[in-house]
Amino acid sequence: MVTRAGAGAAVAATAVVALLSAALALYGPPLDSVLERTFSLRKVHSVKDMENTLQLVRNIIPPLSSTTHKGQDGRIGVVGGCQEYTGAPYFAAISALKVGADLSHVFCASAAAPVIKAYSPELIVHPVLDSPNAVHEVEKWLPRLHALVVGPGLGRDDALLRNVQGILEASKARDIPVVIDADGLWLVAQQPALIQGYQKAVLTPNHMEFSRLYDAVLRGPVDSDDRHGSVLRLSRALGNVTVVQKGERDILSNGQQVLVCSQEGSSRRCGGQGDLLSGSLGVLVHWALLAGPEKTNGSSPLLVAAFGACSLTRQCNHQAFQKHGRSTTTSDMIAEVGAAFSKLFET
Ligand SMILES: NC(=O)C1=CN([C@@H]2O[C@H](COP(=O)(O)OP(=O)(O)OC[C@H]3O[C@@H](n4cnc5c(N)ncnc54)[C@H](OP(=O)(O)O)[C@@H]3O)[C@@H](O)[C@H]2O)[C@@H](O)CC1
Ligand SMILES: Nc1ncnc2c1ncn2[C@@H]1O[C@H](COP(=O)(O)OP(=O)(O)OP(=O)(O)O)[C@@H](O)[C@H]1O
Ligand SMILES: [Mg+2]
């Protein structure tokens, strides 16, 4: 039997829960409680957590179908590539195609374009990034693109970075998802306001890029003993932008939740692996936003997409290393994308 006092207490408890939920929705749970919830059971749950999250990635992958037309599974743009760096934008753009995008564009400086075109007939290469009309030239394509990957091989030339700033602003105005990597993160460290609070941005810093960003945004050094807390804090300070800190284990957060990806890779650290990750993520972000939170069981679609890209990159590394050992290069990893994707996501 429910007494009046009992019913009153239940109503009061419901009100408290509702108030707390409203507060959480507005400000996010206290940092300590997120970390405690996420990590207190980490040792016993890590393998199960990884498997559960991989299942969410499987849920966002569009089935191959005879009724879809070219372009529906993803039209991705990579913004990067300059005189010095032509490999990085190529790795990102070809990885997007290999993961399952239908069309992959590269918007690069004019000196890089013939080189990138010569690597691959699969890519659509626009030599526009150092033109005085760069923003307009890229903006023309934005209505046809599902996601942008900004930064691989961009370099740090001021004129190029100013153009990329304009491209980012135009992409935000159109609500286009952006993955920001490499020198795109250099730009964000100079001007965090560029992506502050943009819910469709994912940042993929390596060790160095993370420290630079953290210092710029939080005005202090990273606590290297607390990687999880650092990623959570940076995401929150940027207004819940999704942050993926790459490393021995990848730490991912949207300021509400923290995920850890420890998919087995290898000890081979050749350059370009991060470009494979950011290009793959471009496609997965598009798929995840299309699928929506019903398919990700309430988890953030962008976090699920990022977990998918991290797992895939590490699995490619693992498979390539088994064949090539110390001579493994990123091209060997890209050759493994199909088999790694099947192993992780098509079981
Ligand atoms: N084939 C191509 O075209 C490729 C081109 N690429 C392009 O190059 C551009 C610059 O990108 P980036 O990553 O080299 O730049 P940046 O942030 O200055 O870091 C460099 C310094 O960080 C450090 N460091 C790194 N990891 C660390 C760790 N775990 N722990 C500790 N330190 C660590 C390390 O310092 P060091 O060991 O030298 O002291 C290193 O010197 C960018 O456009 C990118 O896309 C690449 O994509 C590769 C393939
Ligand atoms: N110590 C490590 N052990 C295992 N995997 C790692 C380690 N460090 C990085 N990785 C993996 O390598 C991939 C690329 O991360 P990395 O930190 O090398 O990026 P990056 O420096 O941006 O690469 P790039 O050379 O493309 O710029 C990620 O999938 C990450 O999980
Ligand atoms: Mg990189």
Side-chain angles (χ1 to χ4, degrees):
M1 194 179 86
V2 180
T3 64
R4 272 172 71 152
V11 169
T14 310
V16 169
V17 169
L19 270 175
L20 274 176
S21 309
L24 287 186
L26 274 178
Y27 305 112
L31 190 111
D32 287 351
S33 91
V34 175
L35 289 177
E36 197 181 317
R37 247 185 318 113
T38 313
F39 297 107
S40 58
L41 301 175
R42 173 63 50 206
K43 283 198 181 70
V44 276
H45 276 183
S46 58
V47 174
K48 193 163 156 245
D49 286 350
M50 287 267 301
E51 183 44 46
N52 288 343
T53 315
L54 281 175
Q55 185 52 50
L56 300 182
V57 181
R58 291 176 197 126
N59 292 349
I60 64 164
I61 295 169
L64 289 169
S65 151
S66 58
T67 60
T68 49
H69 63 258
K70 180 181 65 184
Q72 273 184 293
D73 279 343
R75 294 184 294 264
I76 309 303
V78 174
V79 178
C82 62
Q83 178 139 24
E84 291 83 4
Y85 304 126
T86 53
Y90 162 77
F91 289 144
I94 200 78
S95 299
L97 272 182
K98 293 270 183 188
V99 165
D102 291 334
L103 293 164
S104 192
H105 295 251
V106 178
F107 300 92
C108 60
S110 47
V115 183
I116 299 171
K117 284 176 199 273
Y119 293 152
S120 168
E122 332 269 6
L123 304 178
I124 303 163
V125 184
H126 309 262
V128 296
L129 224 45
D130 50 351
S131 115
N133 299 324
V135 179
H136 176 67
E137 291 294 329
V138 178
E139 217 171 358
K140 284 196 299 202
W141 286 92
L142 289 183
R144 282 184 263 175
L145 297 178
H146 295 118
L148 278 188
V149 180
V150 178
L154 179 61
R156 293 173 192 171
D157 176 80
D158 282 340
L160 281 194
L161 292 178
R162 265 194 305 279
N163 289 338
V164 172
Q165 176 183 338
I167 293 164
L168 271 175
E169 280 160 355
S171 308
K172 275 195 312 186
R174 289 180 177 274
D175 215 26
I176 293 175
V178 289
V179 175
I180 307 189
D181 187 30
D183 302 314
L185 296 168
W186 173 266
L187 175 63
V188 170
Q190 316 297 309
Q191 299 178 56
L194 256 182
I195 51 100
Q196 179 75 36
Y198 187 49
Q199 298 302 307
K200 291 194 177 171
V202 185
L203 313 185
T204 55
N206 64 18
H207 177 87
M208 192 73 175
E209 291 154 350
F210 185 85
S211 307
R212 206 181 282 133
L213 259 179
Y214 191 95
D215 191 41
V217 174
L218 286 142
R219 308 246 161 251
V222 180
D223 175 358
S224 51
D225 293 332
D226 182 18
R227 282 186 65 203
H228 310 112
S230 302
V231 177
L232 190 63
R233 270 189 290 277
L234 178 61
S235 171
R236 284 194 176 179
L238 287 169
N240 293 91
V241 162
T242 302
V243 177
V244 177
Q245 189 198 31
K246 298 172 291 191
E248 188 173 351
R249 300 190 310 160
D250 299 326
I251 314 290
L252 297 64
S253 182
N254 62 348
Q256 301 274 336
Q257 204 183 346
V258 182
L259 300 180
V260 178
C261 178
S262 52
Q263 185 72 36
E264 187 179 3
S266 83
S267 297
R268 178 73 175 121
R269 301 266 66 78
C270 55
Q273 301 183 34
D275 307 318
L276 193 167
L277 193 157
S278 59
S280 315
L281 183 51
V283 191
L284 286 162
V285 158
H286 166 53
W287 290 350
L289 290 171
L290 213 56
E294 318 80 65
K295 290 283 176 75
T296 56
N297 206 12
S299 279
S300 145
L302 294 192
L303 264 189
V304 170
F307 189 88
C310 291
S311 311
L312 182 70
T313 307
R314 296 169 73 101
Q315 178 66 24
C316 288
N317 182 265
H318 180 68
Q319 290 179 196
F321 188 77
Q322 297 218 311
K323 292 184 187 166
H324 305 282
R326 193 180 279 274
S327 82
T328 298
T329 62
T330 297
S331 297
D332 298 322
M333 288 171 56
I334 288 168
E336 297 297 328
V337 167
F341 190 99
S342 297
K343 178 150 178 53
L344 291 174
F345 307 134
E346 293 173 336
T347 50

